[in-house]
Amino acid sequence: MKNRRDGGGSDPIYGDRYDDRYHDRYEGSGGALEERSRRAFDDSVEALDAATLSRLNRARRTALAGDGGPRLASGWQPIATMAGAAAVAVLAVGLWLGQMPEEPVAERETVVAVAAEEAEDLEIVLQDENLDMLAELEFYDWVDSEEAFRSAPGGSGNIG
Amino acid sequence: MSRDAAGEAGVGAVALKRRWDSPRDGQWLCRERGAGALEQEQQLNAFLAGVERRALRIAEIGTGDRDEAMDLVQDAMIRLVRNYARRPESEWAPLFFRILTNRVRDSQRRRTVRNRVMSWFGGDGEDGRPDPVAEAPDPDTGAPDEQLEMRETMAVLETAIRALPARQQEAFMLRNFEGLDVAATAAAMGCSEGSVKTHYSRAVHALRARLGESWQ
C-alpha cells in the first residue's frame, strides 16, 4: 500500500482525489499533535506483522467471494435466537414485577426504566448473532429454495 | 419460485438472482462473471486492500483487541461487498468506515455491559493483567530502539484516544488517521459536517491537554 506520506501521485484507493485530500488535510490542520499522531499511526500500520497481513488478505478474499454473509447454519439458529429474545423479555417482566409493590408512580417509572435497561444489557450479553437476518427472512427462504433447486437433478448451478 | 416454473420459463438461477436483486439496489454482488462484474470485483479488491490495514488499526484502537478488530474489519468488508458493491466507488470509503465505526461502537458498548454483568457475579470481566505474550515485542520488525520508541509513542496515544468520548474518537481517527475530509467523515459518522468539526476540535483539545507539552 502506498504510504500517504510519500506525497503526490495517484492513490490506489482514492485515485486522483488523493492529492486534493492530502492537501486539504494538511492545509486544514497542520498542528504538531495531529502531525505527530498521524506519523505514529502510520508507523504502527507499516509495522503490522506478516501473520496479521495474511489474516487481512484472507478476510478480504472471503468477503469478495461472498462466503461470509449471514447464513442459517441450521434450522435451529433463528429459533434459538428468538427463544433467547423471549427469555430476555420474560426476565425483564419478572424484574419489573418483582420491584413493583407499593411504590409511588415516579419510583415505578424509574424501576421500569431500570428493568428495561437491564433487559437490554442482558440481551447484548446473550446475543451471539445479530438479528439482521430476521429482517430478511423472505430472502433467506428464497436462497433455501434456490439451493434446493440447484441440488435437484437437472437444476442449474450458476449461482456463485 | 418453483423449480418447474423456472425450467419452463428457461430462466437460469443467475437470471433469477438478478431479478431478486433488481428492486433491492445493491443487495448482493452480482456473481455473473462478465467483464463488468470482474472489473467491479477488482476495484473492490483494490479498495479493500488499500484501507484494510488502517481500518484494522483504527478498530484495534477502538476496541483494544486485535482479534476483535480483525473480526470487525472482516464484517465491514462483507457488508460493504454484499450491500454496497454497486454504489459509486466514491461512496465506498465513507460507507465502509460507517459500517466499521458502528461495529466498533457496538463492541465498546457490549464490552461495557459484559464487564458490568460480570461484576454482578463477583468478577471484573477481565483479569486486568497484561498478557505477556501479547505484550512481547515482535522480533521481526525494525531496529529495537526505534521500534520501542514507536511502540511507546503509539501506546501513549492509544490510551489518550480511548479516553475520549466515542464520537470524538471516531472524528479524530477518521479525519486524522484515515484522512477522510469533513464531508466523508460526516457521511461515515452519520452526522452533520458541523458536528464533525465540533467533535474533532474537542478531540484535539482533549488530546493536547492529556498528552502534554511534548505533543504540542
Side-chain angles (χ1 to χ4, degrees):
Chain A
M1 184 194 332
K2 185 179 183 66
N3 188 318
R4 288 173 295 159
R5 283 175 288 143
D6 291 347
S10 65
D11 182 83
I13 312 164
Y14 298 113
D16 294 336
R17 290 164 290 148
Y18 177 75
D19 284 338
D20 291 340
R21 191 182 302 264
Y22 188 86
H23 175 73
D24 288 345
R25 193 177 69 181
Y26 275 81
E27 189 178 60
S29 56
L33 182 139
E34 286 106 311
E35 183 119 18
R36 186 172 175 189
S37 62
R38 192 180 308 126
R39 197 164 55 239
F41 177 80
D42 285 345
D43 286 345
S44 76
V45 169
E46 294 300 318
L48 286 173
D49 59 276
T52 301
L53 297 182
S54 175
R55 289 177 68 191
L56 279 171
N57 191 40
R58 282 201 306 274
R60 174 166 29 93
R61 295 196 178 285
T62 298
L64 289 168
D67 294 338
R71 294 285 186 273
L72 297 180
S74 72
W76 291 103
Q77 188 170 338
I79 296 170
T81 304
M82 284 186 275
V88 168
V90 169
L91 188 57
V93 171
L95 285 169
W96 179 59
L97 291 176
Q99 299 182 49
M100 280 299 285
E102 292 122 30
E103 289 173 341
V105 173
E107 288 183 25
R108 279 186 199 175
E109 288 173 352
T110 305
V111 168
V112 170
V114 169
E117 188 179 325
E118 288 171 350
E120 190 181 352
D121 289 353
L122 280 169
E123 187 180 7
I124 287 174
V125 173
L126 294 173
Q127 188 179 39
D128 287 323
E129 297 290 334
N130 65 53
L131 295 172
D132 286 357
M133 62 182 180
L134 293 177
E136 295 190 314
L137 279 177
E138 187 189 359
F139 174 70
Y140 294 121
D141 183 52
W142 179 86
V143 170
D144 282 345
S145 68
E146 284 306 303
E147 286 177 352
F149 167 64
R150 283 163 49 204
S151 61
S156 170
N158 284 341
I159 292 183
Chain B
M1 176 179 296
S2 72
R3 178 188 159 198
D4 289 343
E8 286 170 10
V11 181
V14 169
L16 286 172
K17 186 77 180 78
R18 196 183 300 125
R19 189 185 305 168
W20 173 272
D21 284 345
S22 57
R24 303 159 62 92
D25 183 35
Q27 177 64 237
W28 200 274
L29 176 64
C30 183
R31 309 307 303 167
E32 189 180 23
R33 287 292 184 253
L38 205 58
E39 185 183 357
Q40 184 185 52
E41 187 164 328
Q42 287 170 347
Q43 288 171 341
L44 267 171
N45 185 50
F47 167 76
L48 292 174
V51 296
E52 64 192 14
R53 290 195 281 178
R54 293 197 305 281
L56 177 70
R57 289 291 294 126
I58 287 172
E60 188 178 1
I61 293 170
T63 61
D65 185 294
R66 177 164 295 182
D67 287 336
E68 188 169 2
M70 184 69 75
D71 289 343
L72 299 182
V73 169
Q74 178 164 3
D75 189 46
M77 288 177 170
I78 288 167
R79 284 169 186 271
L80 181 82
V81 171
R82 196 182 63 196
N83 297 334
Y84 302 110
R86 292 177 188 168
R87 300 294 283 268
E89 189 180 350
S90 60
E91 294 181 12
W92 287 348
L95 284 168
F96 176 78
F97 281 100
R98 179 161 191 168
I99 297 166
L100 186 64
T101 53
N102 283 341
R103 286 285 174 272
V104 169
R105 211 179 306 151
D106 287 348
S107 168
Q108 290 169 337
R109 185 161 173 248
R110 198 168 282 131
R111 179 173 300 221
T112 302
V113 171
R114 194 179 297 130
N115 287 342
R116 198 190 318 156
V117 171
M118 289 304 289
S119 70
W120 294 346
F121 296 101
D124 59 2
E126 295 176 9
D127 64 11
R129 290 173 298 180
D131 177 355
V133 175
E135 297 287 317
D138 187 336
D140 293 336
T141 49
D145 288 348
E146 193 179 321
Q147 285 298 314
L148 182 62
E149 184 183 349
M150 190 265 285
R151 282 172 188 278
E152 287 176 348
T153 300
M154 198 59 213
V156 169
L157 179 61
E158 287 187 32
T159 303
I161 291 173
R162 283 196 198 105
L164 297 173
R167 300 296 272 172
Q168 291 182 26
Q169 287 183 31
E170 292 165 12
F172 185 79
M173 290 198 284
L174 291 174
R175 288 277 289 128
N176 200 44
F177 292 166
E178 178 52 28
L180 297 183
D181 60 23
V182 175
T185 304
M189 291 177 62
C191 64
S192 69
E193 295 185 18
S195 294
V196 169
K197 290 174 184 172
T198 302
H199 288 311
Y200 183 79
S201 172
R202 288 178 181 167
V204 170
H205 280 95
L207 289 173
R208 282 195 177 124
R210 181 173 284 268
L211 293 170
E213 287 186 7
S214 63
W215 286 75
Q216 303 302 310

mmCIF file of all heavy atoms in Angstrom, chain B residues 116-158:
data_model
loop_
_atom_site.group_PDB
_atom_site.id
_atom_site.type_symbol
_atom_site.label_atom_id
_atom_site.label_comp_id
_atom_site.label_asym_id
_atom_site.label_seq_id
_atom_site.Cartn_x
_atom_site.Cartn_y
_atom_site.Cartn_z
ATOM 1 N N ARG B 116 -19.961 -5.054 33.266
ATOM 2 C CA ARG B 116 -20.892 -4.718 34.343
ATOM 3 C C ARG B 116 -21.594 -5.974 34.843
ATOM 4 O O ARG B 116 -21.751 -6.197 36.036
ATOM 5 C CB ARG B 116 -21.918 -3.703 33.830
ATOM 6 C CG ARG B 116 -22.629 -2.977 34.958
ATOM 7 C CD ARG B 116 -23.798 -2.177 34.445
ATOM 8 N NE ARG B 116 -23.529 -1.462 33.197
ATOM 9 C CZ ARG B 116 -24.475 -1.092 32.352
ATOM 10 N NH1 ARG B 116 -25.732 -1.387 32.605
ATOM 11 N NH2 ARG B 116 -24.177 -0.445 31.261
ATOM 12 N N VAL B 117 -22.011 -6.836 33.885
ATOM 13 C CA VAL B 117 -22.697 -8.064 34.275
ATOM 14 C C VAL B 117 -21.757 -8.974 35.045
ATOM 15 O O VAL B 117 -22.130 -9.568 36.058
ATOM 16 C CB VAL B 117 -23.249 -8.783 33.024
ATOM 17 C CG1 VAL B 117 -23.764 -10.161 33.386
ATOM 18 C CG2 VAL B 117 -24.362 -7.953 32.396
ATOM 19 N N MET B 118 -20.509 -9.066 34.575
ATOM 20 C CA MET B 118 -19.544 -9.916 35.277
ATOM 21 C C MET B 118 -19.313 -9.412 36.695
ATOM 22 O O MET B 118 -19.094 -10.199 37.611
ATOM 23 C CB MET B 118 -18.217 -9.951 34.505
ATOM 24 C CG MET B 118 -18.281 -10.718 33.203
ATOM 25 S SD MET B 118 -18.836 -12.423 33.371
ATOM 26 C CE MET B 118 -17.414 -13.130 34.180
ATOM 27 N N SER B 119 -19.376 -8.100 36.871
ATOM 28 C CA SER B 119 -19.146 -7.558 38.212
ATOM 29 C C SER B 119 -20.286 -7.959 39.158
ATOM 30 O O SER B 119 -20.094 -8.078 40.354
ATOM 31 C CB SER B 119 -19.021 -6.035 38.165
ATOM 32 O OG SER B 119 -20.265 -5.449 37.882
ATOM 33 N N TRP B 120 -21.501 -8.203 38.588
ATOM 34 C CA TRP B 120 -22.605 -8.683 39.428
ATOM 35 C C TRP B 120 -22.255 -10.030 40.041
ATOM 36 O O TRP B 120 -22.681 -10.362 41.120
ATOM 37 C CB TRP B 120 -23.886 -8.858 38.601
ATOM 38 C CG TRP B 120 -24.454 -7.582 38.073
ATOM 39 C CD1 TRP B 120 -24.128 -6.319 38.450
ATOM 40 C CD2 TRP B 120 -25.452 -7.453 37.057
ATOM 41 N NE1 TRP B 120 -24.849 -5.410 37.727
ATOM 42 C CE2 TRP B 120 -25.686 -6.073 36.858
ATOM 43 C CE3 TRP B 120 -26.175 -8.368 36.293
ATOM 44 C CZ2 TRP B 120 -26.590 -5.591 35.947
ATOM 45 C CZ3 TRP B 120 -27.083 -7.891 35.380
ATOM 46 C CH2 TRP B 120 -27.290 -6.515 35.201
ATOM 47 N N PHE B 121 -21.499 -10.812 39.262
ATOM 48 C CA PHE B 121 -21.170 -12.161 39.735
ATOM 49 C C PHE B 121 -19.815 -12.208 40.429
ATOM 50 O O PHE B 121 -19.242 -13.261 40.620
ATOM 51 C CB PHE B 121 -21.183 -13.140 38.553
ATOM 52 C CG PHE B 121 -22.540 -13.271 37.928
ATOM 53 C CD1 PHE B 121 -22.848 -12.601 36.760
ATOM 54 C CD2 PHE B 121 -23.522 -14.041 38.529
ATOM 55 C CE1 PHE B 121 -24.105 -12.711 36.183
ATOM 56 C CE2 PHE B 121 -24.779 -14.149 37.962
ATOM 57 C CZ PHE B 121 -25.081 -13.486 36.793
ATOM 58 N N GLY B 122 -19.297 -11.051 40.773
ATOM 59 C CA GLY B 122 -18.081 -11.020 41.570
ATOM 60 C C GLY B 122 -16.802 -10.942 40.784
ATOM 61 O O GLY B 122 -15.719 -10.787 41.351
ATOM 62 N N GLY B 123 -16.863 -11.078 39.460
ATOM 63 C CA GLY B 123 -15.654 -10.949 38.660
ATOM 64 C C GLY B 123 -15.535 -9.540 38.143
ATOM 65 O O GLY B 123 -16.421 -8.712 38.356
ATOM 66 N N ASP B 124 -14.438 -9.240 37.479
ATOM 67 C CA ASP B 124 -14.302 -7.908 36.905
ATOM 68 C C ASP B 124 -14.378 -7.943 35.393
ATOM 69 O O ASP B 124 -14.108 -6.960 34.721
ATOM 70 C CB ASP B 124 -13.001 -7.240 37.356
ATOM 71 C CG ASP B 124 -11.779 -8.031 36.966
ATOM 72 O OD1 ASP B 124 -11.936 -9.085 36.312
ATOM 73 O OD2 ASP B 124 -10.657 -7.603 37.305
ATOM 74 N N GLY B 125 -14.779 -9.120 34.842
ATOM 75 C CA GLY B 125 -14.937 -9.207 33.394
ATOM 76 C C GLY B 125 -13.649 -9.528 32.677
ATOM 77 O O GLY B 125 -13.608 -10.321 31.773
ATOM 78 N N GLU B 126 -12.588 -8.879 33.136
ATOM 79 C CA GLU B 126 -11.270 -9.168 32.593
ATOM 80 C C GLU B 126 -10.333 -9.191 33.780
ATOM 81 O O GLU B 126 -10.557 -8.512 34.776
ATOM 82 C CB GLU B 126 -10.865 -8.093 31.592
ATOM 83 C CG GLU B 126 -11.763 -8.088 30.356
ATOM 84 C CD GLU B 126 -11.416 -6.952 29.414
ATOM 85 O OE1 GLU B 126 -10.381 -6.286 29.641
ATOM 86 O OE2 GLU B 126 -12.184 -6.721 28.470
ATOM 87 N N ASP B 127 -9.292 -9.990 33.693
ATOM 88 C CA ASP B 127 -8.448 -10.114 34.869
ATOM 89 C C ASP B 127 -7.546 -8.901 35.079
ATOM 90 O O ASP B 127 -6.913 -8.766 36.120
ATOM 91 C CB ASP B 127 -7.632 -11.413 34.830
ATOM 92 C CG ASP B 127 -6.654 -11.444 33.671
ATOM 93 O OD1 ASP B 127 -6.453 -10.384 33.022
ATOM 94 O OD2 ASP B 127 -6.074 -12.501 33.412
ATOM 95 N N GLY B 128 -7.499 -7.998 34.101
ATOM 96 C CA GLY B 128 -6.761 -6.758 34.289
ATOM 97 C C GLY B 128 -5.259 -6.896 34.161
ATOM 98 O O GLY B 128 -4.546 -5.902 34.162
ATOM 99 N N ARG B 129 -4.773 -8.123 34.045
ATOM 100 C CA ARG B 129 -3.323 -8.299 33.923
ATOM 101 C C ARG B 129 -2.935 -8.347 32.454
ATOM 102 O O ARG B 129 -3.617 -8.981 31.653
ATOM 103 C CB ARG B 129 -2.897 -9.607 34.601
ATOM 104 C CG ARG B 129 -3.023 -9.566 36.108
ATOM 105 C CD ARG B 129 -2.750 -10.912 36.701
ATOM 106 N NE ARG B 129 -3.722 -11.898 36.244
ATOM 107 C CZ ARG B 129 -3.716 -13.168 36.618
ATOM 108 N NH1 ARG B 129 -2.797 -13.629 37.409
ATOM 109 N NH2 ARG B 129 -4.634 -13.991 36.157
ATOM 110 N N PRO B 130 -1.849 -7.704 32.098
ATOM 111 C CA PRO B 130 -1.446 -7.751 30.690
ATOM 112 C C PRO B 130 -0.993 -9.150 30.297
ATOM 113 O O PRO B 130 -0.418 -9.889 31.108
ATOM 114 C CB PRO B 130 -0.274 -6.756 30.644
ATOM 115 C CG PRO B 130 0.212 -6.653 32.042
ATOM 116 C CD PRO B 130 -0.974 -6.904 32.934
ATOM 117 N N ASP B 131 -1.312 -9.492 29.070
ATOM 118 C CA ASP B 131 -0.876 -10.785 28.552
ATOM 119 C C ASP B 131 0.588 -10.661 28.138
ATOM 120 O O ASP B 131 0.915 -9.888 27.233
ATOM 121 C CB ASP B 131 -1.757 -11.130 27.337
ATOM 122 C CG ASP B 131 -1.342 -12.434 26.672
ATOM 123 O OD1 ASP B 131 -0.331 -13.010 27.102
ATOM 124 O OD2 ASP B 131 -2.032 -12.855 25.728
ATOM 125 N N PRO B 132 1.485 -11.415 28.778
ATOM 126 C CA PRO B 132 2.911 -11.257 28.464
ATOM 127 C C PRO B 132 3.250 -11.598 27.023
ATOM 128 O O PRO B 132 4.162 -11.024 26.439
ATOM 129 C CB PRO B 132 3.596 -12.229 29.437
ATOM 130 C CG PRO B 132 2.530 -13.154 29.899
ATOM 131 C CD PRO B 132 1.245 -12.407 29.825
ATOM 132 N N VAL B 133 2.501 -12.531 26.438
ATOM 133 C CA VAL B 133 2.771 -12.885 25.041
ATOM 134 C C VAL B 133 2.350 -11.734 24.123
ATOM 135 O O VAL B 133 3.081 -11.326 23.217
ATOM 136 C CB VAL B 133 2.013 -14.179 24.662
ATOM 137 C CG1 VAL B 133 2.194 -14.479 23.176
ATOM 138 C CG2 VAL B 133 2.500 -15.335 25.507
ATOM 139 N N ALA B 134 1.168 -11.191 24.402
ATOM 140 C CA ALA B 134 0.693 -10.084 23.574
ATOM 141 C C ALA B 134 1.562 -8.844 23.732
ATOM 142 O O ALA B 134 1.733 -8.058 22.804
ATOM 143 C CB ALA B 134 -0.756 -9.742 23.943
ATOM 144 N N GLU B 135 2.118 -8.684 24.930
ATOM 145 C CA GLU B 135 2.932 -7.504 25.191
ATOM 146 C C GLU B 135 4.354 -7.638 24.672
ATOM 147 O O GLU B 135 5.083 -6.651 24.572
ATOM 148 C CB GLU B 135 2.992 -7.236 26.702
ATOM 149 C CG GLU B 135 1.642 -6.925 27.342
ATOM 150 C CD GLU B 135 1.155 -5.536 26.976
ATOM 151 O OE1 GLU B 135 1.966 -4.603 27.000
ATOM 152 O OE2 GLU B 135 -0.030 -5.396 26.632
ATOM 153 N N ALA B 136 4.766 -8.860 24.348
ATOM 154 C CA ALA B 136 6.155 -9.085 23.925
ATOM 155 C C ALA B 136 6.414 -8.403 22.589
ATOM 156 O O ALA B 136 5.536 -8.351 21.733
ATOM 157 C CB ALA B 136 6.410 -10.587 23.802
ATOM 158 N N PRO B 137 7.621 -7.855 22.423
ATOM 159 C CA PRO B 137 7.920 -7.204 21.153
ATOM 160 C C PRO B 137 7.965 -8.201 20.005
ATOM 161 O O PRO B 137 8.335 -9.353 20.188
ATOM 162 C CB PRO B 137 9.309 -6.592 21.393
ATOM 163 C CG PRO B 137 9.877 -7.341 22.534
ATOM 164 C CD PRO B 137 8.729 -7.799 23.370
ATOM 165 N N ASP B 138 7.559 -7.739 18.834
ATOM 166 C CA ASP B 138 7.613 -8.563 17.636
ATOM 167 C C ASP B 138 9.064 -8.645 17.171
ATOM 168 O O ASP B 138 9.691 -7.614 16.925
ATOM 169 C CB ASP B 138 6.746 -7.921 16.558
ATOM 170 C CG ASP B 138 6.617 -8.807 15.333
ATOM 171 O OD1 ASP B 138 7.499 -9.645 15.126
ATOM 172 O OD2 ASP B 138 5.632 -8.638 14.599
ATOM 173 N N PRO B 139 9.628 -9.843 17.092
ATOM 174 C CA PRO B 139 11.041 -9.969 16.749
ATOM 175 C C PRO B 139 11.372 -9.632 15.302
ATOM 176 O O PRO B 139 12.532 -9.479 14.946
ATOM 177 C CB PRO B 139 11.341 -11.443 17.037
ATOM 178 C CG PRO B 139 10.031 -12.124 16.870
ATOM 179 C CD PRO B 139 8.990 -11.137 17.313
ATOM 180 N N ASP B 140 10.356 -9.479 14.464
ATOM 181 C CA ASP B 140 10.632 -9.355 13.032
ATOM 182 C C ASP B 140 10.787 -7.925 12.539
ATOM 183 O O ASP B 140 11.126 -7.699 11.395
ATOM 184 C CB ASP B 140 9.494 -10.006 12.225
ATOM 185 C CG ASP B 140 9.467 -11.498 12.432
ATOM 186 O OD1 ASP B 140 10.524 -12.042 12.786
ATOM 187 O OD2 ASP B 140 8.401 -12.093 12.252
ATOM 188 N N THR B 141 10.462 -6.948 13.345
ATOM 189 C CA THR B 141 10.314 -5.606 12.784
ATOM 190 C C THR B 141 11.334 -4.612 13.318
ATOM 191 O O THR B 141 11.343 -4.305 14.504
ATOM 192 C CB THR B 141 8.916 -5.060 13.080
ATOM 193 O OG1 THR B 141 8.638 -5.252 14.463
ATOM 194 C CG2 THR B 141 7.862 -5.787 12.267
ATOM 195 N N GLY B 142 12.181 -4.121 12.443
ATOM 196 C CA GLY B 142 12.993 -2.942 12.663
ATOM 197 C C GLY B 142 14.017 -2.990 13.780
ATOM 198 O O GLY B 142 14.189 -3.989 14.470
ATOM 199 N N ALA B 143 14.706 -1.857 13.940
ATOM 200 C CA ALA B 143 15.710 -1.734 14.987
ATOM 201 C C ALA B 143 15.020 -1.675 16.345
ATOM 202 O O ALA B 143 14.001 -0.999 16.492
ATOM 203 C CB ALA B 143 16.531 -0.482 14.744
ATOM 204 N N PRO B 144 15.568 -2.347 17.356
ATOM 205 C CA PRO B 144 14.878 -2.438 18.647
ATOM 206 C C PRO B 144 14.582 -1.075 19.269
ATOM 207 O O PRO B 144 13.463 -0.847 19.731
ATOM 208 C CB PRO B 144 15.874 -3.232 19.502
ATOM 209 C CG PRO B 144 16.698 -3.996 18.534
ATOM 210 C CD PRO B 144 16.777 -3.157 17.303
ATOM 211 N N ASP B 145 15.549 -0.168 19.285
ATOM 212 C CA ASP B 145 15.331 1.130 19.935
ATOM 213 C C ASP B 145 14.218 1.914 19.234
ATOM 214 O O ASP B 145 13.339 2.480 19.875
ATOM 215 C CB ASP B 145 16.618 1.959 19.913
ATOM 216 C CG ASP B 145 17.644 1.379 20.877
ATOM 217 O OD1 ASP B 145 17.247 0.516 21.692
ATOM 218 O OD2 ASP B 145 18.818 1.767 20.801
ATOM 219 N N GLU B 146 14.314 1.922 17.922
ATOM 220 C CA GLU B 146 13.326 2.659 17.136
ATOM 221 C C GLU B 146 11.927 2.065 17.322
ATOM 222 O O GLU B 146 10.941 2.785 17.494
ATOM 223 C CB GLU B 146 13.733 2.582 15.665
ATOM 224 C CG GLU B 146 12.995 3.539 14.758
ATOM 225 C CD GLU B 146 13.497 3.397 13.322
ATOM 226 O OE1 GLU B 146 14.719 3.212 13.129
ATOM 227 O OE2 GLU B 146 12.659 3.444 12.424
ATOM 228 N N GLN B 147 11.896 0.732 17.291
ATOM 229 C CA GLN B 147 10.615 0.050 17.474
ATOM 230 C C GLN B 147 10.042 0.313 18.855
ATOM 231 O O GLN B 147 8.839 0.532 19.016
ATOM 232 C CB GLN B 147 10.799 -1.467 17.277
ATOM 233 C CG GLN B 147 10.955 -1.878 15.840
ATOM 234 C CD GLN B 147 9.721 -1.531 15.024
ATOM 235 O OE1 GLN B 147 8.602 -1.791 15.443
ATOM 236 N NE2 GLN B 147 9.921 -0.922 13.876
ATOM 237 N N LEU B 148 10.922 0.290 19.835
ATOM 238 C CA LEU B 148 10.469 0.509 21.210
ATOM 239 C C LEU B 148 9.884 1.911 21.350
ATOM 240 O O LEU B 148 8.808 2.098 21.937
ATOM 241 C CB LEU B 148 11.630 0.313 22.181
ATOM 242 C CG LEU B 148 11.276 0.456 23.664
ATOM 243 C CD1 LEU B 148 10.262 -0.611 24.071
ATOM 244 C CD2 LEU B 148 12.530 0.351 24.531
ATOM 245 N N GLU B 149 10.571 2.879 20.795
ATOM 246 C CA GLU B 149 10.099 4.264 20.886
ATOM 247 C C GLU B 149 8.755 4.413 20.168
ATOM 248 O O GLU B 149 7.828 5.061 20.672
ATOM 249 C CB GLU B 149 11.128 5.212 20.276
ATOM 250 C CG GLU B 149 10.728 6.672 20.431
ATOM 251 C CD GLU B 149 11.734 7.599 19.758
ATOM 252 O OE1 GLU B 149 12.822 7.117 19.379
ATOM 253 O OE2 GLU B 149 11.413 8.780 19.602
ATOM 254 N N MET B 150 8.665 3.796 18.995
ATOM 255 C CA MET B 150 7.420 3.879 18.233
ATOM 256 C C MET B 150 6.275 3.231 18.994
ATOM 257 O O MET B 150 5.171 3.785 19.086
ATOM 258 C CB MET B 150 7.617 3.190 16.876
ATOM 259 C CG MET B 150 6.496 3.405 15.895
ATOM 260 S SD MET B 150 5.299 2.082 15.925
ATOM 261 C CE MET B 150 6.185 0.797 15.054
ATOM 262 N N ARG B 151 6.547 2.086 19.587
ATOM 263 C CA ARG B 151 5.503 1.395 20.354
ATOM 264 C C ARG B 151 5.060 2.220 21.551
ATOM 265 O O ARG B 151 3.860 2.322 21.840
ATOM 266 C CB ARG B 151 6.033 0.044 20.864
ATOM 267 C CG ARG B 151 6.067 -1.031 19.830
ATOM 268 C CD ARG B 151 6.793 -2.247 20.397
ATOM 269 N NE ARG B 151 7.021 -3.246 19.389
ATOM 270 C CZ ARG B 151 6.122 -4.126 19.005
ATOM 271 N NH1 ARG B 151 4.935 -4.132 19.551
ATOM 272 N NH2 ARG B 151 6.398 -5.018 18.074
ATOM 273 N N GLU B 152 6.038 2.797 22.226
ATOM 274 C CA GLU B 152 5.692 3.587 23.413
ATOM 275 C C GLU B 152 4.883 4.818 23.027
ATOM 276 O O GLU B 152 3.905 5.169 23.685
ATOM 277 C CB GLU B 152 6.964 3.987 24.162
ATOM 278 C CG GLU B 152 7.600 2.815 24.892
ATOM 279 C CD GLU B 152 8.925 3.192 25.555
ATOM 280 O OE1 GLU B 152 9.440 4.291 25.246
ATOM 281 O OE2 GLU B 152 9.423 2.386 26.359
ATOM 282 N N THR B 153 5.303 5.459 21.948
ATOM 283 C CA THR B 153 4.576 6.642 21.477
ATOM 284 C C THR B 153 3.140 6.286 21.126
ATOM 285 O O THR B 153 2.184 6.960 21.536
ATOM 286 C CB THR B 153 5.273 7.224 20.227
ATOM 287 O OG1 THR B 153 6.602 7.576 20.571
ATOM 288 C CG2 THR B 153 4.535 8.457 19.720
ATOM 289 N N MET B 154 2.988 5.193 20.393
ATOM 290 C CA MET B 154 1.648 4.789 19.967
ATOM 291 C C MET B 154 0.812 4.334 21.147
ATOM 292 O O MET B 154 -0.405 4.569 21.192
ATOM 293 C CB MET B 154 1.762 3.670 18.919
ATOM 294 C CG MET B 154 0.518 3.467 18.087
ATOM 295 S SD MET B 154 0.037 4.961 17.178
ATOM 296 C CE MET B 154 -1.745 4.792 17.180
ATOM 297 N N ALA B 155 1.461 3.672 22.116
ATOM 298 C CA ALA B 155 0.709 3.213 23.294
ATOM 299 C C ALA B 155 0.152 4.400 24.072
ATOM 300 O O ALA B 155 -1.009 4.378 24.519
ATOM 301 C CB ALA B 155 1.605 2.364 24.185
ATOM 302 N N VAL B 156 0.976 5.434 24.226
ATOM 303 C CA VAL B 156 0.515 6.642 24.929
ATOM 304 C C VAL B 156 -0.643 7.273 24.167
ATOM 305 O O VAL B 156 -1.670 7.662 24.751
ATOM 306 C CB VAL B 156 1.683 7.644 25.079
ATOM 307 C CG1 VAL B 156 1.174 8.999 25.545
ATOM 308 C CG2 VAL B 156 2.721 7.102 26.053
ATOM 309 N N LEU B 157 -0.489 7.353 22.858
ATOM 310 C CA LEU B 157 -1.526 7.966 22.031
ATOM 311 C C LEU B 157 -2.827 7.153 22.084
ATOM 312 O O LEU B 157 -3.923 7.706 22.213
ATOM 313 C CB LEU B 157 -1.030 8.082 20.591
ATOM 314 C CG LEU B 157 -2.000 8.694 19.584
ATOM 315 C CD1 LEU B 157 -2.374 10.117 19.965
ATOM 316 C CD2 LEU B 157 -1.397 8.668 18.181
ATOM 317 N N GLU B 158 -2.696 5.834 21.995
ATOM 318 C CA GLU B 158 -3.897 4.989 22.021
ATOM 319 C C GLU B 158 -4.645 5.135 23.335
ATOM 320 O O GLU B 158 -5.879 5.205 23.350
ATOM 321 C CB GLU B 158 -3.514 3.517 21.804
ATOM 322 C CG GLU B 158 -3.111 3.212 20.374
ATOM 323 C CD GLU B 158 -2.911 1.729 20.148
ATOM 324 O OE1 GLU B 158 -3.590 0.915 20.795
ATOM 325 O OE2 GLU B 158 -2.047 1.391 19.318
#
